[in-house]
Amino acid sequence: MAAGRLPASVTLLLLLLAATAVAPLASAVRPVSDAHRSAAAELFAASPDGSFGDVERIYEAVRTFQILGVEKDKSLTGEACKVAAEKLASSSSTAKDLFHAVRISGVLGCGVDSGVYDDVATKLKAVIKDTNSLLELYYSLGGLLSIKEKGHNVVLPDADSTFHAIKALSQSDGRWRYDTNSAESSTFAAGVALEALASVVSLADSEIDPSMIAVVKNDIVKLFDTIKSYDDGTFYFDEKHVDATEYKGPITTSASVVRGVTSFAAVASGKLNIPGEKILGLAKAFVPLILSLPSKVFSLTSKDQLKVEVTTVFGSAAPPLRVNLVQVLGSDSKVITTEAKELQFDLDSNVHYLDIAPLKIDVGKYSLVFEISLQEPEHETIYAIGGRNTETIFVTGLIKVDKAEIGISDNDAGSVESVQKIDPQKDASVSLSANHLQKLRLSFQLSTPLGKTFKPHQVFLKLKHESKVEHLFVVPGSARQFKIDFLGLVEKFYYLSGRYDLELAVGDAAMENSFLRALGHLELDLPEAPEKAPKPPAQAVDPFSKFGPKKEISHIFRAPEKRPPKELSFAFTGLTLLPFVGFLIGLMRLGVNLKNFPPLSAPAVFASLFHEGIGAVLLLYVLFWVKLDLFTTLKYLSFLGVFLVFVGHRALSYLSSMSAKQKTA
């Protein structure tokens, strides 16, 4: 689209796209997904007391859930409608509270009586008449417009006067002041003012003076003269000089201006003389179409297809378009191919796809450059596609291992004593022997699926002594041959002769067949260790070894001692019961009776509890013989003893007082 002046309809469409955005976008950003919805639900979760914050935050929650398609939370819906109804019915609610309450009711469809809206409209009209604050005018006019959109008959009396009151706060550079007492102007306030003016036009009972509309259009042009740009050509609005408490960031400020200009363009006739390159530059910060890759790792072995998704920012389907792969760059930014290839479109899965085999790319990291073109010309005024989109991918494949050999040499000249071919893809059982004057040599060659030399990120050769002491050697990825000179390593090997198991590990993120293989063993003969030679480190003990099976213990128990006859045991048990029998006989001989049992209720209760406590003690003795141990019995007996002392003292005190009264009588 060429730079120039845009008609109001085109400007409106482009700005409307920008107004629906929530953040700067790039080709690497994914559209709104369940993860975003989950994050929104967590962000607007209820506090521990069950509340969702003030009325403004509640509106932000319900509106965000509506835009993202989050399933309505019954608790939030109930709380939101309750708060909205309270604010609408309250005589002390501010214009801001009423503004958000009406919008909550509109989003959720809360059941509010028509008369309540009439009262709210009357309050808001009174605020408009008495205030000179831009924000109060904005909230009041916005609230009236929301009520009108719900089907109520709302007309703003003396709309021209309100229009002039808002216009009086404008400045020569297109910015606005928040009230007549403000010394500084604000870009954010300009967007608020334009929205308020659009509400005035919508609520007016007659046409606003066309000359005033033209003046505001000229203010919009001046406002766009203050627009700023990033190095990539993205335009944005920012504040100039405002108080720190009133400062808004570039995204918030730009969104405010876009909403304001969009609202005013929707109600004003004629053209907005805004340069096209500024509209497009501003739209770049809010690109509505997103190109993304469902997967960025591709396998040459599996012959994966390159798949591309193009959606709107909220994840809905994009209009008919073409996606072309125009360039492939290597990890070093070297151009691999510049032949443009159009991706095929799968209608069922809504993805564009391309086979990667014809691209002749090898394993490794690549940058793919895409271009998007809309198929329908009329969509160019609705969707912003931006420039080229670059995506980074990673290609994996099977790496071929050739010419793998391991052997022992006598010197650097290469006099080889023994060499054996190996297949690192399989465990081997090579048997080698060497002394400290010889060298271990290992050589192999790795190649990619396209036959190029492959340099893996990690190659390790491990020698593990029979005493569990390990030695790890890093093999340079670019080396085709690697050697270990034992003469210079005898001290590192702690002069330990004997058998060493050999293991080779080769790994790389692009290598699908990374491996760790046993190569065999090496019998190494090293000289005797001198007196001050370093000792091998103590081997780590497996912390889980203590949970393993223990050594079986063999033990012969001694034969049990001879027990007395059963009759003798029964006789002894009978003897232990004799004192209890004697106790019962003594009670009978003494003529136990209840004549002295307290007749009054309170002393009778204590006397009953005292006897029950004695019974509990006797029962505790029985349990001691049958089930309880000594310490448990003493613990229970201590509580019973305190209880018996208390109730027994009260019962005996009563008997003592009664006895004293009888003696004195």
Side-chain angles (χ1 to χ4, degrees), residues 425-583:
Q425 298 292 337
K426 301 178 182 178
D427 287 336
S429 57
V430 173
S431 179
L432 301 172
S433 61
N435 58 42
H436 67 287
L437 300 177
Q438 294 177 309
K439 301 177 179 63
L440 174 66
R441 292 183 179 272
L442 173 67
S443 62
F444 57 88
Q445 184 174 335
L446 303 177
S447 55
T448 66
L450 295 186
K452 299 179 182 178
T453 301
F454 182 72
K455 299 177 181 179
H457 288 161
Q458 296 179 334
V459 182
F460 300 104
L461 178 63
K462 183 169 72 173
L463 279 68
K464 184 176 182 180
H465 191 254
E466 53 194 350
S467 63
K468 307 301 182 182
V469 177
E470 296 181 354
H471 304 281
L472 196 65
F473 297 90
V474 179
V475 181
S478 59
R480 296 187 179 182
Q481 189 178 83
F482 176 71
K483 66 179 181 179
I484 299 177
D485 187 353
F486 296 118
L487 180 60
L489 298 173
V490 290
E491 187 170 319
K492 182 179 179 180
F493 277 77
Y494 306 106
Y495 297 90
L496 292 176
S497 299
R499 176 179 172 131
Y500 286 83
D501 292 327
L502 305 176
E503 286 185 351
L504 177 64
V506 179
D508 192 280
M511 187 175 176
E512 295 179 3
N513 54 333
S514 299
F515 58 85
L516 171 62
R517 297 297 180 188
L519 302 181
H521 69 274
L522 168 68
E523 291 290 342
L524 186 58
D525 183 18
L526 298 179
E528 293 292 333
E531 292 184 3
K532 296 183 180 181
K535 301 295 182 182
Q539 298 303 302
V541 178
D542 184 4
F544 295 100
S545 61
K546 61 182 179 180
F547 301 113
K550 303 298 182 181
K551 183 179 179 181
E552 184 178 354
I553 301 175
S554 298
H555 179 72
I556 300 176
F557 292 92
R558 67 180 181 179
E561 297 180 359
K562 187 177 181 181
R563 297 186 177 183
K566 181 171 59 175
E567 294 77 7
L568 181 60
S569 298
F570 282 130
F572 180 77
T573 304
L575 289 175
T576 58
L577 294 176
L578 283 178
F580 181 69
V581 175
F583 171 72

Side-chain angles (χ1 to χ4, degrees), residues 147-443:
I147 295 175
K148 182 178 181 180
E149 291 173 349
K150 291 179 66 66
H152 296 266
N153 183 22
V154 179
V155 177
L156 181 64
D158 198 8
D160 284 329
S161 176
T162 304
F163 197 99
H164 280 280
I166 298 174
K167 182 63 182 70
L169 299 175
S170 66
Q171 301 295 290
S172 59
D173 58 358
R175 294 181 173 90
W176 248 263
R177 292 179 297 161
Y178 284 103
D179 54 50
T180 54
N181 297 324
S182 298
E184 297 290 344
S185 57
S186 165
T187 306
F188 178 84
V192 173
L194 292 173
E195 278 194 82
L197 291 174
S199 299
V200 173
V201 175
S202 300
L203 295 169
D205 55 353
S206 60
E207 185 180 1
I208 300 295
D209 185 359
S211 63
M212 292 302 300
I213 299 292
V215 172
V216 175
K217 289 182 178 180
N218 187 52
D219 289 341
I220 293 175
V221 174
K222 293 179 181 178
L223 182 63
F224 269 80
D225 290 338
T226 66
I227 200 169
K228 300 179 182 180
S229 66
Y230 293 110
D231 294 338
D232 62 353
T234 300
F235 284 80
Y236 67 96
F237 287 97
D238 199 2
E239 294 287 18
K240 188 178 180 182
H241 299 292
V242 296
D243 186 80
T245 59
E246 298 178 354
Y247 177 75
K248 311 292 183 182
I251 295 176
T252 304
T253 304
S254 299
S256 174
V257 174
V258 168
R259 286 195 305 269
V261 175
T262 302
S263 301
F264 192 79
V267 298
S269 60
K271 297 181 179 180
L272 293 176
N273 296 320
I274 303 174
E277 68 272 11
K278 291 186 178 180
I279 293 294
L280 293 177
L282 183 61
K284 285 180 67 177
F286 305 92
V287 179
L289 293 183
I290 298 175
L291 183 147
S292 58
L293 304 183
S295 174
K296 295 191 176 184
V297 180
F298 302 91
S299 170
L300 294 176
T301 307
S302 303
K303 298 181 180 179
D304 293 340
Q305 287 183 327
L306 172 64
K307 295 182 179 180
V308 174
E309 291 180 348
V310 182
T311 63
T312 65
V313 64
F314 294 113
S316 58
L321 49 80
R322 296 183 182 88
V323 178
N324 291 312
L325 176 63
V326 297
Q327 196 175 49
V328 180
L329 304 176
S331 57
D332 55 356
S333 299
K334 181 181 178 181
V335 178
I336 305 300
T337 178
T338 57
E339 181 183 356
K341 293 185 179 295
E342 182 178 350
L343 278 68
Q344 302 298 313
F345 181 69
D346 185 353
L347 187 60
D348 294 333
S349 59
N350 200 32
V351 299
H352 301 260
Y353 65 91
L354 178 69
D355 292 332
I356 62 175
L359 299 179
K360 300 298 182 183
I361 57 177
D362 214 339
V363 298
K365 187 177 181 181
Y366 295 91
S367 296
L368 306 183
V369 183
F370 298 94
E371 279 187 353
I372 300 175
S373 59
L374 296 166
Q375 295 183 8
E376 303 295 337
E378 58 268 21
H379 287 159
E380 295 180 1
T381 62
I382 301 177
Y383 297 96
I385 58 177
R388 292 187 170 187
N389 299 273
T390 302
E391 295 285 346
T392 301
I393 67 169
F394 202 80
V395 182
T396 65
L398 293 176
I399 302 302
K400 186 178 181 181
V401 185
D402 290 323
K403 302 177 181 179
E405 296 179 342
I406 188 170
I408 303 297
S409 64
D410 292 331
N411 50 52
D412 292 332
S415 176
V416 180
E417 181 178 290
S418 61
V419 173
Q420 299 186 41
K421 293 185 178 181
I422 56 174
D423 183 1
Q425 298 292 337
K426 301 178 182 178
D427 287 336
S429 57
V430 173
S431 179
L432 301 172
S433 61
N435 58 42
H436 67 287
L437 300 177
Q438 294 177 309
K439 301 177 179 63
L440 174 66
R441 292 183 179 272
L442 173 67
S443 62

